[in-house]
Amino acid sequence: MRRRVLFLGLPAAAALLPTFSLPRASHARTRSSSPPIRLGQSAPVSGPLAQVGTAVREAALAVFADANAQGGIGGRDIQLVTLDDEDRAERTAVNVKLLASQHQVVGMFGFVGAGAHRAGARGAAEEGLPYIAAFSGSQELRSGAIPWVYNLRAGHIDEIEYIARHTRQVGIRRVSLVSEYNSHGWELRDALIASLESRGDNVASISSIDHEGSRYSLPGAVASVLAGDPQAIVLGADYVASARFVDAARRAGFTGLFYTLSTVGGNALTDMLGAQAAGLSVTQVAPFPWTASSPIGRNFQAFCARHTIEASFAGMEAYLGASLLVDALRRAREITPARLAEAIEGLPPRDFGGFVGAFYGKARKAPAQVDLTVFSRNGRFVK
């Protein structure tokens, strides 16, 4: 039987964190005897997607540590309780119930991976808890069908639209898609078809691949996609499956371009691809973490240096989401799920200095912000 891993974002739990240390607070203070405000997170902190889940968790913990060092929320510390789901939606669903019943969290924050798209939000709704800043572009989370869902990032439709517009601008007319055979993959398929057809083009080919790209599904997916003679292929599967597909497609003779979405094409994908990552185009929905030309870039780099964490797109997004959540907690009249939801709904957009961040459900408070980066031969993302 697998052991569910629990991580607590408080110094008292430091003994439970052999791999991940709590970020150091910038100011010392006497701990309050008031009970902490608990937030719940289900994320892969082991397994293939652990790099992303860990980056999100560490950045959020660092933001909460800074807030706690400044007095917390009315003298109460913010605590992040993280349960490992190993990037499996069925584990996410169980974790949501545990977070609600055993840990009595007031909201769910920063879910990552397969469970972030649907299982987490539906589970949070069943428990009557806000679902905040999930690392998901799912349209279901933006449809208004699930109550108390608050997004930060642009959606998958926004990213697909950006890719379709960019490929048309650079003269690429034959675009294919590989994704997983699930609701997430179907959503990407429909969005790409609609975006290309609106410009007078058709998808060259579409195929699905199973979770993590097993040897059973990989050969058929490669053959099916390449049969459409694409100039570019959009990667919409998880990063392990996408990396394996790139390798297999290159071995099969594909010399065209690869595009991928922000939830797929982060550091974990490029690390797995190695030299094959050169030239990979990735849509991003968070500010560029390594720039010094904007206040948000400089502030985030200083934040990472202060807490000894590595800068990344995932960390940047968690930093923005956790900062906005702290703002909402400070506005809440009392710390209950309903009052937290009320505070989030009334929270105005915040200018982080070159990036305007805001939570939204069905209707946006700030325009969708999508950019395109390319992974260079020297191992870095460039704009």
Side-chain angles (χ1 to χ4, degrees):
M1 178 178 294
R2 293 180 183 271
R3 180 173 62 90
R4 178 170 288 104
V5 181
L6 165 66
F7 301 98
L8 297 174
L10 282 177
L16 300 177
L17 300 173
T19 305
F20 311 108
S21 60
L22 183 75
R24 293 190 296 272
S26 55
H27 305 285
R29 69 175 178 86
T30 302
R31 287 283 170 188
S32 169
S33 59
S34 301
I37 298 166
R38 288 181 175 170
L39 301 166
Q41 180 190 36
S42 181
V45 288
S46 67
L49 206 62
Q51 182 177 346
V52 180
T54 301
V56 172
R57 179 180 172 274
E58 287 184 340
L61 281 176
V63 171
F64 298 148
D66 282 347
N68 293 342
Q70 296 165 8
I73 307 299
R76 298 173 64 185
D77 281 341
I78 304 169
Q79 181 186 58
L80 182 66
V81 181
T82 301
L83 298 183
D84 185 12
D85 59 28
E86 298 179 338
D87 193 31
R88 303 193 181 278
E90 62 273 17
R91 292 280 301 272
T92 304
V94 174
N95 285 350
V96 168
K97 294 191 176 297
L98 291 172
L99 289 166
S101 61
Q102 293 187 11
H103 301 285
Q104 300 181 335
V105 300
V106 298
M108 303 294 186
F109 172 81
F111 279 36
V112 178
H117 305 311
R118 175 175 289 190
R122 292 185 174 187
E126 290 175 1
E127 300 296 336
L129 295 168
Y131 188 67
I132 307 159
F135 279 62
S136 169
S138 169
Q139 187 58 25
E140 182 173 341
L141 304 188
R142 292 157 177 80
S143 66
I146 305 176
W148 286 2
V149 172
Y150 303 104
N151 302 291
L152 172 63
R153 59 168 37 233
H156 285 149
I157 291 178
D158 299 308
E159 295 185 69
I160 288 290
E161 175 67 16
Y162 193 103
I163 291 173
R165 185 169 63 249
H166 182 267
T167 53
R168 182 64 180 250
Q169 289 172 346
V170 298
I172 293 173
R173 305 298 293 271
R174 300 189 60 77
V175 181
S176 294
L177 170 70
V178 60
S179 61
E180 295 177 56
Y181 190 74
N182 54 26
S183 60
H184 175 231
W186 304 331
E187 183 177 291
L188 298 181
R189 174 201 64 195
D190 293 346
L192 184 60
I193 290 172
S195 293
L196 292 178
E197 287 184 348
S198 70
R199 293 168 170 81
D201 294 326
N202 294 309
V203 178
S205 54
I206 298 174
S207 189
S208 61
I209 191 169
D210 63 17
H211 195 60
E212 298 182 9
S214 75
R215 60 186 177 90
Y216 300 103
S217 68
L218 189 59
V222 171
S224 179
V225 168
L226 297 190
D229 191 26
Q231 297 168 283
I233 300 173
V234 178
L235 304 170
D238 70 86
Y239 88 88
V240 177
S242 294
R244 289 173 177 167
F245 181 90
V246 170
D247 179 68
R250 291 300 192 207
R251 290 176 184 273
F254 178 69
T255 58
L257 301 178
F258 285 104
Y259 289 78
T260 187
L261 307 180
S262 59
T263 49
V264 178
N267 296 89
L269 175 63
T270 57
D271 287 350
M272 189 168 183
L273 283 173
Q276 289 182 323
L280 177 71
S281 296
V282 185
T283 51
Q284 304 291 355
V285 296
F288 198 75
W290 303 281
T291 183
S293 62
S294 66
I296 179 60
R298 295 191 295 272
N299 292 341
F300 180 66
Q301 289 172 47
F303 166 85
C304 290
R306 188 168 69 251
H307 291 284
T308 61
I309 59 178
E310 185 177 352
S312 65
F313 282 105
M316 171 67 86
E317 189 172 341
Y319 166 78
L320 297 169
S323 297
L324 287 170
L325 180 52
V326 170
D327 290 347
L329 287 167
R330 286 172 174 159
R331 289 172 60 96
R333 288 184 285 176
E334 60 179 310
I335 307 301
T336 66
R339 293 301 190 191
L340 176 56
E342 180 182 69
I344 291 173
E345 289 167 3
L347 191 68
R350 174 174 167 183
D351 188 349
F352 286 89
F355 183 90
V356 177
F359 290 134
Y360 70 96
K362 185 175 182 179
R364 286 195 178 98
K365 296 180 181 179
Q369 300 184 61
V370 182
D371 203 355
L372 190 70
T373 59
V374 177
F375 199 73
S376 68
R377 292 187 180 277
N378 64 359
R380 296 180 179 180
F381 282 105
V382 294
K383 295 181 69 174

